[in-house]
Amino acid sequence: MFVHAVLTGGYPFYHPVELFCIRVGSLTALLGVTCSIIGKGKPRLHIVVISVLNFLVWFADAMAQ
């Protein structure tokens, strides 16, 4: 997104590309949380922490709109 924003001159509020990226990023973060809860193994805790932090970053980006 950063490279695209630099090349195109930035994003105005509610730009469709940014909203699409926020939507897809949030859904993949929630999918990561869901899979780590369902899954088994040692990296489960690490994956849930990374996915929650990722979701919080996308949430903060969405709130900045």
Side-chain angles (χ1 to χ4, degrees), residues 31-61:
L31 182 65
V33 170
T34 304
C35 289
S36 65
I37 290 172
I38 293 172
K40 296 178 180 161
K42 287 186 177 183
R44 212 173 100 174
L45 180 62
H46 301 303
I47 293 171
V48 75
V49 169
I50 290 170
S51 295
V52 167
L53 290 175
N54 188 12
F55 181 75
L56 290 175
V57 168
W58 285 114
F59 184 76
D61 189 25

PDB file of all heavy atoms in Angstrom, residues 31-61:
ATOM      1  N   LEU A  31      -8.789 -14.468  10.410  1.00  0.00           N
ATOM      2  CA  LEU A  31      -8.592 -15.863  10.012  1.00  0.00           C
ATOM      3  C   LEU A  31      -7.395 -16.466  10.737  1.00  0.00           C
ATOM      4  O   LEU A  31      -7.430 -17.627  11.153  1.00  0.00           O
ATOM      5  CB  LEU A  31      -8.407 -15.951   8.503  1.00  0.00           C
ATOM      6  CG  LEU A  31      -8.237 -17.343   7.922  1.00  0.00           C
ATOM      7  CD1 LEU A  31      -9.506 -18.165   8.110  1.00  0.00           C
ATOM      8  CD2 LEU A  31      -7.874 -17.248   6.456  1.00  0.00           C
ATOM      9  N   GLY A  32      -6.334 -15.682  10.912  1.00  0.00           N
ATOM     10  CA  GLY A  32      -5.169 -16.153  11.661  1.00  0.00           C
ATOM     11  C   GLY A  32      -5.504 -16.444  13.106  1.00  0.00           C
ATOM     12  O   GLY A  32      -5.055 -17.439  13.668  1.00  0.00           O
ATOM     13  N   VAL A  33      -6.306 -15.587  13.727  1.00  0.00           N
ATOM     14  CA  VAL A  33      -6.732 -15.827  15.112  1.00  0.00           C
ATOM     15  C   VAL A  33      -7.572 -17.094  15.189  1.00  0.00           C
ATOM     16  O   VAL A  33      -7.372 -17.947  16.068  1.00  0.00           O
ATOM     17  CB  VAL A  33      -7.514 -14.616  15.663  1.00  0.00           C
ATOM     18  CG1 VAL A  33      -8.155 -14.939  16.996  1.00  0.00           C
ATOM     19  CG2 VAL A  33      -6.610 -13.409  15.779  1.00  0.00           C
ATOM     20  N   THR A  34      -8.500 -17.251  14.260  1.00  0.00           N
ATOM     21  CA  THR A  34      -9.369 -18.426  14.247  1.00  0.00           C
ATOM     22  C   THR A  34      -8.564 -19.704  14.049  1.00  0.00           C
ATOM     23  O   THR A  34      -8.778 -20.699  14.763  1.00  0.00           O
ATOM     24  CB  THR A  34     -10.426 -18.302  13.129  1.00  0.00           C
ATOM     25  OG1 THR A  34     -11.144 -17.087  13.320  1.00  0.00           O
ATOM     26  CG2 THR A  34     -11.374 -19.464  13.148  1.00  0.00           C
ATOM     27  N   CYS A  35      -7.645 -19.696  13.104  1.00  0.00           N
ATOM     28  CA  CYS A  35      -6.838 -20.897  12.841  1.00  0.00           C
ATOM     29  C   CYS A  35      -5.922 -21.227  14.011  1.00  0.00           C
ATOM     30  O   CYS A  35      -5.688 -22.400  14.294  1.00  0.00           O
ATOM     31  CB  CYS A  35      -6.018 -20.707  11.571  1.00  0.00           C
ATOM     32  SG  CYS A  35      -7.005 -20.721  10.077  1.00  0.00           S
ATOM     33  N   SER A  36      -5.408 -20.198  14.691  1.00  0.00           N
ATOM     34  CA  SER A  36      -4.528 -20.483  15.826  1.00  0.00           C
ATOM     35  C   SER A  36      -5.313 -21.016  17.023  1.00  0.00           C
ATOM     36  O   SER A  36      -4.777 -21.782  17.816  1.00  0.00           O
ATOM     37  CB  SER A  36      -3.745 -19.239  16.222  1.00  0.00           C
ATOM     38  OG  SER A  36      -4.617 -18.243  16.690  1.00  0.00           O
ATOM     39  N   ILE A  37      -6.567 -20.623  17.145  1.00  0.00           N
ATOM     40  CA  ILE A  37      -7.394 -21.169  18.226  1.00  0.00           C
ATOM     41  C   ILE A  37      -7.753 -22.618  17.936  1.00  0.00           C
ATOM     42  O   ILE A  37      -7.719 -23.470  18.826  1.00  0.00           O
ATOM     43  CB  ILE A  37      -8.660 -20.300  18.415  1.00  0.00           C
ATOM     44  CG1 ILE A  37      -8.272 -18.944  19.009  1.00  0.00           C
ATOM     45  CG2 ILE A  37      -9.684 -21.001  19.301  1.00  0.00           C
ATOM     46  CD1 ILE A  37      -9.404 -17.952  19.067  1.00  0.00           C
ATOM     47  N   ILE A  38      -8.066 -22.912  16.679  1.00  0.00           N
ATOM     48  CA  ILE A  38      -8.447 -24.272  16.296  1.00  0.00           C
ATOM     49  C   ILE A  38      -7.238 -25.203  16.241  1.00  0.00           C
ATOM     50  O   ILE A  38      -7.321 -26.365  16.622  1.00  0.00           O
ATOM     51  CB  ILE A  38      -9.160 -24.247  14.923  1.00  0.00           C
ATOM     52  CG1 ILE A  38     -10.490 -23.522  15.054  1.00  0.00           C
ATOM     53  CG2 ILE A  38      -9.378 -25.661  14.398  1.00  0.00           C
ATOM     54  CD1 ILE A  38     -11.171 -23.280  13.735  1.00  0.00           C
ATOM     55  N   GLY A  39      -6.101 -24.690  15.785  1.00  0.00           N
ATOM     56  CA  GLY A  39      -4.914 -25.503  15.537  1.00  0.00           C
ATOM     57  C   GLY A  39      -4.239 -26.002  16.793  1.00  0.00           C
ATOM     58  O   GLY A  39      -4.619 -25.693  17.923  1.00  0.00           O
ATOM     59  N   LYS A  40      -3.209 -26.807  16.559  1.00  0.00           N
ATOM     60  CA  LYS A  40      -2.427 -27.383  17.651  1.00  0.00           C
ATOM     61  C   LYS A  40      -0.954 -27.171  17.354  1.00  0.00           C
ATOM     62  O   LYS A  40      -0.559 -26.984  16.225  1.00  0.00           O
ATOM     63  CB  LYS A  40      -2.714 -28.873  17.773  1.00  0.00           C
ATOM     64  CG  LYS A  40      -4.138 -29.171  18.147  1.00  0.00           C
ATOM     65  CD  LYS A  40      -4.391 -30.640  18.206  1.00  0.00           C
ATOM     66  CE  LYS A  40      -5.840 -30.822  18.597  1.00  0.00           C
ATOM     67  NZ  LYS A  40      -6.365 -32.111  18.292  1.00  0.00           N
ATOM     68  N   GLY A  41      -0.147 -27.190  18.382  1.00  0.00           N
ATOM     69  CA  GLY A  41       1.286 -27.081  18.192  1.00  0.00           C
ATOM     70  C   GLY A  41       1.883 -25.939  18.984  1.00  0.00           C
ATOM     71  O   GLY A  41       1.186 -25.135  19.612  1.00  0.00           O
ATOM     72  N   LYS A  42       3.205 -25.868  18.938  1.00  0.00           N
ATOM     73  CA  LYS A  42       3.930 -24.854  19.705  1.00  0.00           C
ATOM     74  C   LYS A  42       3.724 -23.430  19.207  1.00  0.00           C
ATOM     75  O   LYS A  42       3.633 -22.516  20.024  1.00  0.00           O
ATOM     76  CB  LYS A  42       5.419 -25.181  19.707  1.00  0.00           C
ATOM     77  CG  LYS A  42       5.773 -26.339  20.582  1.00  0.00           C
ATOM     78  CD  LYS A  42       7.265 -26.510  20.645  1.00  0.00           C
ATOM     79  CE  LYS A  42       7.634 -27.633  21.576  1.00  0.00           C
ATOM     80  NZ  LYS A  42       9.091 -27.763  21.706  1.00  0.00           N
ATOM     81  N   PRO A  43       3.693 -23.169  17.892  1.00  0.00           N
ATOM     82  CA  PRO A  43       3.612 -21.769  17.454  1.00  0.00           C
ATOM     83  C   PRO A  43       2.228 -21.153  17.591  1.00  0.00           C
ATOM     84  O   PRO A  43       2.010 -20.018  17.177  1.00  0.00           O
ATOM     85  CB  PRO A  43       4.041 -21.832  15.988  1.00  0.00           C
ATOM     86  CG  PRO A  43       3.710 -23.203  15.548  1.00  0.00           C
ATOM     87  CD  PRO A  43       3.893 -24.067  16.763  1.00  0.00           C
ATOM     88  N   ARG A  44       1.296 -21.871  18.185  1.00  0.00           N
ATOM     89  CA  ARG A  44      -0.077 -21.387  18.299  1.00  0.00           C
ATOM     90  C   ARG A  44      -0.174 -20.054  19.022  1.00  0.00           C
ATOM     91  O   ARG A  44      -0.843 -19.128  18.565  1.00  0.00           O
ATOM     92  CB  ARG A  44      -0.895 -22.438  19.047  1.00  0.00           C
ATOM     93  CG  ARG A  44      -2.321 -22.505  18.635  1.00  0.00           C
ATOM     94  CD  ARG A  44      -2.953 -23.670  19.295  1.00  0.00           C
ATOM     95  NE  ARG A  44      -3.682 -23.149  20.442  1.00  0.00           N
ATOM     96  CZ  ARG A  44      -4.458 -23.854  21.205  1.00  0.00           C
ATOM     97  NH1 ARG A  44      -4.590 -25.130  20.995  1.00  0.00           N
ATOM     98  NH2 ARG A  44      -5.097 -23.312  22.190  1.00  0.00           N
ATOM     99  N   LEU A  45       0.498 -19.921  20.137  1.00  0.00           N
ATOM    100  CA  LEU A  45       0.443 -18.689  20.917  1.00  0.00           C
ATOM    101  C   LEU A  45       1.075 -17.531  20.150  1.00  0.00           C
ATOM    102  O   LEU A  45       0.555 -16.413  20.157  1.00  0.00           O
ATOM    103  CB  LEU A  45       1.142 -18.877  22.261  1.00  0.00           C
ATOM    104  CG  LEU A  45       1.148 -17.655  23.183  1.00  0.00           C
ATOM    105  CD1 LEU A  45      -0.276 -17.261  23.543  1.00  0.00           C
ATOM    106  CD2 LEU A  45       1.965 -17.922  24.409  1.00  0.00           C
ATOM    107  N   HIS A  46       2.176 -17.793  19.474  1.00  0.00           N
ATOM    108  CA  HIS A  46       2.839 -16.744  18.703  1.00  0.00           C
ATOM    109  C   HIS A  46       1.943 -16.256  17.559  1.00  0.00           C
ATOM    110  O   HIS A  46       1.877 -15.058  17.284  1.00  0.00           O
ATOM    111  CB  HIS A  46       4.161 -17.251  18.141  1.00  0.00           C
ATOM    112  CG  HIS A  46       5.119 -17.712  19.197  1.00  0.00           C
ATOM    113  ND1 HIS A  46       5.531 -16.901  20.218  1.00  0.00           N
ATOM    114  CD2 HIS A  46       5.727 -18.899  19.386  1.00  0.00           C
ATOM    115  CE1 HIS A  46       6.365 -17.561  20.994  1.00  0.00           C
ATOM    116  NE2 HIS A  46       6.496 -18.791  20.507  1.00  0.00           N
ATOM    117  N   ILE A  47       1.273 -17.181  16.915  1.00  0.00           N
ATOM    118  CA  ILE A  47       0.411 -16.813  15.789  1.00  0.00           C
ATOM    119  C   ILE A  47      -0.771 -15.981  16.257  1.00  0.00           C
ATOM    120  O   ILE A  47      -1.150 -15.006  15.597  1.00  0.00           O
ATOM    121  CB  ILE A  47      -0.044 -18.082  15.031  1.00  0.00           C
ATOM    122  CG1 ILE A  47       1.152 -18.733  14.359  1.00  0.00           C
ATOM    123  CG2 ILE A  47      -1.109 -17.742  14.001  1.00  0.00           C
ATOM    124  CD1 ILE A  47       0.863 -20.090  13.763  1.00  0.00           C
ATOM    125  N   VAL A  48      -1.361 -16.333  17.377  1.00  0.00           N
ATOM    126  CA  VAL A  48      -2.504 -15.554  17.861  1.00  0.00           C
ATOM    127  C   VAL A  48      -2.061 -14.147  18.267  1.00  0.00           C
ATOM    128  O   VAL A  48      -2.764 -13.168  18.002  1.00  0.00           O
ATOM    129  CB  VAL A  48      -3.267 -16.280  18.990  1.00  0.00           C
ATOM    130  CG1 VAL A  48      -2.547 -16.238  20.300  1.00  0.00           C
ATOM    131  CG2 VAL A  48      -4.652 -15.697  19.158  1.00  0.00           C
ATOM    132  N   VAL A  49      -0.884 -14.011  18.861  1.00  0.00           N
ATOM    133  CA  VAL A  49      -0.399 -12.683  19.250  1.00  0.00           C
ATOM    134  C   VAL A  49      -0.122 -11.835  18.011  1.00  0.00           C
ATOM    135  O   VAL A  49      -0.523 -10.673  17.931  1.00  0.00           O
ATOM    136  CB  VAL A  49       0.869 -12.813  20.131  1.00  0.00           C
ATOM    137  CG1 VAL A  49       1.551 -11.472  20.318  1.00  0.00           C
ATOM    138  CG2 VAL A  49       0.517 -13.415  21.479  1.00  0.00           C
ATOM    139  N   ILE A  50       0.552 -12.410  17.015  1.00  0.00           N
ATOM    140  CA  ILE A  50       0.849 -11.681  15.788  1.00  0.00           C
ATOM    141  C   ILE A  50      -0.441 -11.294  15.058  1.00  0.00           C
ATOM    142  O   ILE A  50      -0.568 -10.183  14.542  1.00  0.00           O
ATOM    143  CB  ILE A  50       1.780 -12.511  14.887  1.00  0.00           C
ATOM    144  CG1 ILE A  50       3.163 -12.600  15.517  1.00  0.00           C
ATOM    145  CG2 ILE A  50       1.872 -11.929  13.485  1.00  0.00           C
ATOM    146  CD1 ILE A  50       4.075 -13.591  14.846  1.00  0.00           C
ATOM    147  N   SER A  51      -1.403 -12.198  15.017  1.00  0.00           N
ATOM    148  CA  SER A  51      -2.655 -11.914  14.327  1.00  0.00           C
ATOM    149  C   SER A  51      -3.454 -10.828  15.030  1.00  0.00           C
ATOM    150  O   SER A  51      -4.052  -9.968  14.378  1.00  0.00           O
ATOM    151  CB  SER A  51      -3.494 -13.191  14.208  1.00  0.00           C
ATOM    152  OG  SER A  51      -2.847 -14.132  13.396  1.00  0.00           O
ATOM    153  N   VAL A  52      -3.467 -10.829  16.341  1.00  0.00           N
ATOM    154  CA  VAL A  52      -4.185  -9.790  17.080  1.00  0.00           C
ATOM    155  C   VAL A  52      -3.512  -8.438  16.881  1.00  0.00           C
ATOM    156  O   VAL A  52      -4.194  -7.422  16.662  1.00  0.00           O
ATOM    157  CB  VAL A  52      -4.282 -10.157  18.581  1.00  0.00           C
ATOM    158  CG1 VAL A  52      -4.725  -8.971  19.420  1.00  0.00           C
ATOM    159  CG2 VAL A  52      -5.234 -11.325  18.770  1.00  0.00           C
ATOM    160  N   LEU A  53      -2.186  -8.416  16.920  1.00  0.00           N
ATOM    161  CA  LEU A  53      -1.476  -7.150  16.670  1.00  0.00           C
ATOM    162  C   LEU A  53      -1.721  -6.657  15.251  1.00  0.00           C
ATOM    163  O   LEU A  53      -1.903  -5.448  15.024  1.00  0.00           O
ATOM    164  CB  LEU A  53       0.013  -7.323  16.931  1.00  0.00           C
ATOM    165  CG  LEU A  53       0.409  -7.509  18.393  1.00  0.00           C
ATOM    166  CD1 LEU A  53       1.901  -7.797  18.496  1.00  0.00           C
ATOM    167  CD2 LEU A  53       0.024  -6.303  19.218  1.00  0.00           C
ATOM    168  N   ASN A  54      -1.739  -7.572  14.295  1.00  0.00           N
ATOM    169  CA  ASN A  54      -2.026  -7.209  12.913  1.00  0.00           C
ATOM    170  C   ASN A  54      -3.434  -6.628  12.790  1.00  0.00           C
ATOM    171  O   ASN A  54      -3.642  -5.624  12.110  1.00  0.00           O
ATOM    172  CB  ASN A  54      -1.861  -8.436  12.016  1.00  0.00           C
ATOM    173  CG  ASN A  54      -1.956  -8.103  10.556  1.00  0.00           C
ATOM    174  OD1 ASN A  54      -1.932  -6.954  10.163  1.00  0.00           O
ATOM    175  ND2 ASN A  54      -2.068  -9.132   9.739  1.00  0.00           N
ATOM    176  N   PHE A  55      -4.388  -7.257  13.455  1.00  0.00           N
ATOM    177  CA  PHE A  55      -5.758  -6.748  13.419  1.00  0.00           C
ATOM    178  C   PHE A  55      -5.846  -5.357  14.044  1.00  0.00           C
ATOM    179  O   PHE A  55      -6.553  -4.485  13.532  1.00  0.00           O
ATOM    180  CB  PHE A  55      -6.706  -7.706  14.139  1.00  0.00           C
ATOM    181  CG  PHE A  55      -8.127  -7.241  14.105  1.00  0.00           C
ATOM    182  CD1 PHE A  55      -8.871  -7.354  12.943  1.00  0.00           C
ATOM    183  CD2 PHE A  55      -8.713  -6.667  15.215  1.00  0.00           C
ATOM    184  CE1 PHE A  55     -10.187  -6.902  12.900  1.00  0.00           C
ATOM    185  CE2 PHE A  55     -10.017  -6.215  15.183  1.00  0.00           C
ATOM    186  CZ  PHE A  55     -10.753  -6.341  14.015  1.00  0.00           C
ATOM    187  N   LEU A  56      -5.103  -5.127  15.124  1.00  0.00           N
ATOM    188  CA  LEU A  56      -5.131  -3.808  15.757  1.00  0.00           C
ATOM    189  C   LEU A  56      -4.535  -2.736  14.854  1.00  0.00           C
ATOM    190  O   LEU A  56      -5.007  -1.593  14.849  1.00  0.00           O
ATOM    191  CB  LEU A  56      -4.396  -3.860  17.097  1.00  0.00           C
ATOM    192  CG  LEU A  56      -5.103  -4.653  18.194  1.00  0.00           C
ATOM    193  CD1 LEU A  56      -4.228  -4.733  19.435  1.00  0.00           C
ATOM    194  CD2 LEU A  56      -6.456  -4.053  18.522  1.00  0.00           C
ATOM    195  N   VAL A  57      -3.518  -3.090  14.071  1.00  0.00           N
ATOM    196  CA  VAL A  57      -2.942  -2.132  13.130  1.00  0.00           C
ATOM    197  C   VAL A  57      -3.951  -1.774  12.047  1.00  0.00           C
ATOM    198  O   VAL A  57      -4.132  -0.601  11.702  1.00  0.00           O
ATOM    199  CB  VAL A  57      -1.642  -2.688  12.522  1.00  0.00           C
ATOM    200  CG1 VAL A  57      -1.181  -1.863  11.338  1.00  0.00           C
ATOM    201  CG2 VAL A  57      -0.557  -2.750  13.573  1.00  0.00           C
ATOM    202  N   TRP A  58      -4.645  -2.787  11.502  1.00  0.00           N
ATOM    203  CA  TRP A  58      -5.661  -2.510  10.479  1.00  0.00           C
ATOM    204  C   TRP A  58      -6.821  -1.725  11.074  1.00  0.00           C
ATOM    205  O   TRP A  58      -7.399  -0.859  10.419  1.00  0.00           O
ATOM    206  CB  TRP A  58      -6.163  -3.803   9.848  1.00  0.00           C
ATOM    207  CG  TRP A  58      -5.189  -4.389   8.901  1.00  0.00           C
ATOM    208  CD1 TRP A  58      -4.527  -5.570   9.032  1.00  0.00           C
ATOM    209  CD2 TRP A  58      -4.754  -3.826   7.655  1.00  0.00           C
ATOM    210  NE1 TRP A  58      -3.706  -5.757   7.957  1.00  0.00           N
ATOM    211  CE2 TRP A  58      -3.833  -4.714   7.096  1.00  0.00           C
ATOM    212  CE3 TRP A  58      -5.059  -2.665   6.977  1.00  0.00           C
ATOM    213  CZ2 TRP A  58      -3.214  -4.461   5.883  1.00  0.00           C
ATOM    214  CZ3 TRP A  58      -4.442  -2.420   5.762  1.00  0.00           C
ATOM    215  CH2 TRP A  58      -3.527  -3.305   5.235  1.00  0.00           C
ATOM    216  N   PHE A  59      -7.184  -2.015  12.317  1.00  0.00           N
ATOM    217  CA  PHE A  59      -8.260  -1.281  12.983  1.00  0.00           C
ATOM    218  C   PHE A  59      -7.868   0.187  13.170  1.00  0.00           C
ATOM    219  O   PHE A  59      -8.678   1.087  12.951  1.00  0.00           O
ATOM    220  CB  PHE A  59      -8.598  -1.931  14.314  1.00  0.00           C
ATOM    221  CG  PHE A  59      -9.752  -1.300  15.018  1.00  0.00           C
ATOM    222  CD1 PHE A  59     -11.043  -1.546  14.596  1.00  0.00           C
ATOM    223  CD2 PHE A  59      -9.543  -0.460  16.107  1.00  0.00           C
ATOM    224  CE1 PHE A  59     -12.113  -0.949  15.231  1.00  0.00           C
ATOM    225  CE2 PHE A  59     -10.608   0.130  16.762  1.00  0.00           C
ATOM    226  CZ  PHE A  59     -11.897  -0.117  16.328  1.00  0.00           C
ATOM    227  N   ALA A  60      -6.617   0.424  13.558  1.00  0.00           N
ATOM    228  CA  ALA A  60      -6.150   1.798  13.726  1.00  0.00           C
ATOM    229  C   ALA A  60      -6.151   2.544  12.389  1.00  0.00           C
ATOM    230  O   ALA A  60      -6.504   3.726  12.328  1.00  0.00           O
ATOM    231  CB  ALA A  60      -4.753   1.806  14.340  1.00  0.00           C
ATOM    232  N   ASP A  61      -5.766   1.845  11.331  1.00  0.00           N
ATOM    233  CA  ASP A  61      -5.790   2.462   9.999  1.00  0.00           C
ATOM    234  C   ASP A  61      -7.224   2.783   9.588  1.00  0.00           C
ATOM    235  O   ASP A  61      -7.485   3.838   9.006  1.00  0.00           O
ATOM    236  CB  ASP A  61      -5.144   1.533   8.992  1.00  0.00           C
ATOM    237  CG  ASP A  61      -4.943   2.200   7.640  1.00  0.00           C
ATOM    238  OD1 ASP A  61      -4.852   3.432   7.594  1.00  0.00           O
ATOM    239  OD2 ASP A  61      -4.879   1.476   6.633  1.00  0.00           O
TER     240      ASP A  61
END
